[in-house]
Amino acid sequence: MKASHLLLVLSVVFSVCFGVSQLLAAEKNIVLFVSDDHGCDAGCYGNPVIKTPAMDALAADGTLFIHAFCTTASCSASRSVILSGMHNHANGQYGHQHHYHHFSSFPKVKTLPVMLTEAGYRTARIGKYHVAPEEVYKFETVLKGPTRNGVQMAENCREFLAAEDERPFFLYFCTSDPHRGGGRLEELPGRPDRFGNTTKGYPGVEEVTYTMDEVIVPPFLPDTPACRAELTQYYQSVSRVDQGIARLVKILKETGNWDNTLFVYISDHGIAFPGGKTTTYEPGLHSPCIARNPYMKKRGVKCNALVSWVDLTPTLLDFAGATPKKPMYHGRSFLSMFDEENPQGWDEVCASHTFHEITLYYPMRVVRGRQYKLIWNIAHGLPYPFASDLWASSTFQDRYQQGPDTLYGKRTIDAYIHRPAFELYDLKADPDEVNNLAADPQYAEVLEKLQGKIKAMQQKTNDPWVHKWEYE
């Protein structure tokens, strides 16, 4: 064969291989949709009242992770974990980023958007950001959008999703719903927070409303008119998030990307009611996680693995084929479990909370297994601090004003505010975490074992608070 012919053949082979590699890369798009303060309140999670058809459809076409947990039920801190795979005590984002709180991650932290950019992805974010510094959490493109209107946010992503670009994309899509902060509804009991709902509504959104009689009051909350009134507003805000999901899915289909895009829906943490957000109780940590892998054969899988937000970055990097040789993160990929109901070796998660607002110092470290859960309240000598929006909530104030012995859900107000060093719960016998077994001699061995697990986690992840064991 002549040299010129050989060069031509090699050129064709190279072009074909290069084209195939580009095609394969283009078939690895990622969307991570993160709502704000949404607990596991959706039809697919067993709530028969709240209307979430898009979440339900996503679960039916993908995987519903029944036992998914954030590591800290605080906005900035949790988002830093989502985007780094590192506990916030190690990445430096101990609490809120905005205003005078001023927490930010260490410059050395390597985050998901940066690693995907290096792997050849075009990256974009829209909506709530709430982490710092920007060079650590760097996205190539920043899209604008009204964060209370997921439908409009989705439309604002259309051009990015439809762009003729050989590179695969990563879209980080974050609503402000269903976070509190939308004013007060004067005509309902307790003047409930509006959760972003307005009398005029939002363009493109068909508001779904609820009555106080139909909402379901979870056991950790008081069944009072004030609480039911706030739940109606929370439900409405969640249904608005759902319409944002529906529109984004529709646009992915219209732009020809649905069949090659991994779509993951989560919340940064649990519901924004006292007993949920900012706590390490189940309503604070237990969060929705619904994922659709377009290449998975099984559909409608309900996975029982215990997964954590430290596992998200490893999972998305795994899907992208961009797992680093020497990762900084603490989690592991659960991509292979998308089509498994009962995978082995996923029976424990850890949590680490330190701050919410700058004045709300209350470090907690947690290990949670299938049966037992241990919370270490490192600053147990202090009264439990309240996030400003939770303290002002009519749900809490309605109970608080009646005195310290008043029940708030299944705890007294006093028990909620003043906590012991250790809280040990048998989640099978006591799913509402009411009966603390830490001082029971019958559970001394369990307590010691779980204390060892917390300490081991702290040592492994370079937790500065590990030295606090010296004072216990």
Side-chain angles (χ1 to χ4, degrees):
M1 182 181 293
K2 293 183 178 180
S4 58
H5 290 167
L6 178 60
L7 288 173
L8 179 61
V9 170
L10 290 174
S11 176
V12 171
V13 170
F14 174 79
S15 297
V16 170
C17 292
F18 182 76
V20 169
S21 68
Q22 291 297 300
L23 179 62
L24 290 174
E27 293 177 347
K28 294 286 188 177
N29 301 318
I30 301 170
V31 170
L32 178 58
F33 190 124
V34 184
S35 62
D36 200 346
D37 299 2
H38 177 208
C40 292
D41 300 292
C44 53
Y45 276 101
N47 186 319
V49 174
I50 198 166
K51 295 177 177 61
T52 54
M55 295 181 200
D56 302 346
L58 189 64
D61 194 28
T63 305
L64 181 76
F65 289 90
I66 300 171
H67 305 294
F69 301 88
C70 68
T71 66
T72 175
S74 180
C75 303
S76 289
S78 183
R79 290 165 194 272
S80 75
V81 177
I82 291 168
L83 290 175
S84 72
M86 300 173 68
H87 285 285
N88 67 89
H89 64 245
N91 70 40
Q93 189 87 52
Y94 306 127
H96 278 347
Q97 167 269 333
H98 69 289
H99 202 36
Y100 54 76
H101 311 294
H102 199 54
F103 288 108
S104 63
S105 291
F106 298 122
K108 66 179 180 180
V109 173
K110 198 73 174 288
T111 65
L112 176 64
V114 171
M115 287 186 278
L116 286 176
T117 298
E118 292 176 351
Y121 274 70
R122 54 191 181 99
T123 62
R125 63 176 174 88
I126 186 170
K128 190 166 183 177
Y129 189 40
H130 218 21
V131 288
E134 188 169 357
E135 58 267 24
V136 169
Y137 296 94
K138 181 69 173 177
F139 285 82
E140 184 180 67
T141 302
V142 179
L143 302 172
K144 302 295 184 181
T147 61
R148 290 287 185 180
N149 186 344
V151 172
Q152 185 60 56
M153 287 174 65
E155 288 295 339
N156 290 4
C157 294
R158 185 182 290 273
E159 184 177 347
F160 172 81
L161 297 174
E164 294 184 5
D165 194 313
E166 293 182 338
R167 295 174 297 164
F169 61 76
F170 169 49
L171 174 62
Y172 182 58
F173 188 108
C174 303
T175 64
S176 288
D177 286 328
H179 194 287
R180 288 172 175 269
R184 295 281 182 172
L185 198 62
E186 300 293 337
E187 60 267 30
L188 289 182
R191 299 174 57 247
D193 188 283
R194 286 180 177 271
F195 286 81
N197 306 318
T198 71
T199 53
K200 294 181 179 180
Y202 295 91
V205 175
E206 295 181 13
E207 294 289 354
V208 181
T209 59
Y210 300 86
T211 67
M212 290 171 55
D213 290 336
E214 65 183 329
V215 296
I216 298 171
V217 181
F220 80 97
L221 292 178
D223 193 347
T224 61
C227 181
R228 285 182 170 272
E230 290 211 304
L231 285 171
T232 66
Q233 300 305 296
Y234 164 70
Y235 275 32
Q236 183 176 341
S237 191
V238 170
S239 287
R240 192 163 51 249
V241 171
D242 192 76
Q243 291 187 47
I245 295 173
R247 182 61 61 88
L248 187 56
V249 169
K250 182 174 184 288
I251 292 171
L252 286 166
K253 291 178 178 178
E254 290 174 350
T255 56
N257 289 303
W258 181 241
D259 291 331
N260 54 28
T261 298
L262 171 64
F263 193 110
V264 180
Y265 171 74
I266 65 167
S267 172
D268 55 353
H269 49 71
I271 188 173
F273 283 73
K277 180 178 179 178
T278 76
T279 76
T280 53
Y281 296 131
E282 293 294 282
L285 299 181
H286 191 200
S287 304
C289 182
I290 312 170
R292 178 190 180 273
N293 182 347
Y295 305 111
M296 189 177 74
K297 293 181 179 179
K298 289 186 180 179
R299 300 291 166 187
V301 176
K302 293 184 178 181
C303 183
N304 287 298
L306 270 66
V307 299
S308 163
W309 287 179
V310 292
D311 301 318
L312 284 170
T313 282
T315 300
L316 300 187
L317 289 173
D318 187 7
F319 177 81
T323 301
K325 293 182 179 179
K326 295 183 179 180
M328 294 178 66
Y329 50 70
H330 303 136
R332 52 183 175 147
S333 171
F334 56 88
L335 183 66
S336 63
M337 302 187 311
F338 278 39
D339 60 358
E340 292 188 51
E341 293 184 2
N342 298 295
Q344 300 298 307
W346 291 82
D347 302 310
E348 191 172 276
V349 293
C350 292
S352 171
H353 177 95
T354 306
F355 285 92
H356 184 65
E357 299 160 24
I358 184 64
T359 54
L360 307 185
Y361 175 73
Y362 203 85
M364 297 172 282
R365 302 295 184 263
V366 181
V367 60
R368 193 243 196 242
R370 294 283 180 186
Q371 181 171 2
Y372 294 107
K373 175 180 178 180
L374 179 64
I375 302 171
W376 179 28
N377 297 309
I378 299 174
H380 54 88
L382 300 174
Y384 190 80
F386 282 79
S388 54
D389 58 340
L390 301 187
W391 171 257
S393 69
S394 56
T395 296
F396 184 75
Q397 286 298 322
D398 175 69
R399 300 282 88 193
Y400 179 75
Q401 297 299 330
Q402 297 185 39
D405 295 328
T406 304
L407 279 176
Y408 178 83
K410 294 189 176 183
R411 292 184 181 84
T412 64
I413 293 291
D414 184 68
Y416 185 82
I417 295 175
H418 299 101
R419 305 183 183 185
F422 295 100
E423 297 179 72
L424 174 63
Y425 299 110
D426 181 341
L427 296 176
K428 290 185 177 180
D430 178 27
D432 299 318
E433 302 166 288
V434 176
N435 184 22
N436 183 9
L437 305 172
D440 189 332
Q442 295 184 51
Y443 293 88
E445 188 175 334
V446 174
L447 176 65
E448 183 178 7
K449 180 180 179 181
L450 295 184
Q451 287 173 330
K453 285 179 176 288
I454 289 178
K455 187 181 294 186
M457 179 273 289
Q458 291 183 281
Q459 292 170 336
K460 183 178 180 181
T461 59
N462 297 314
D463 184 354
W465 280 263
V466 70
H467 78 276
K468 290 293 186 178
W469 286 103
E470 299 170 12
Y471 303 100
E472 290 297 339

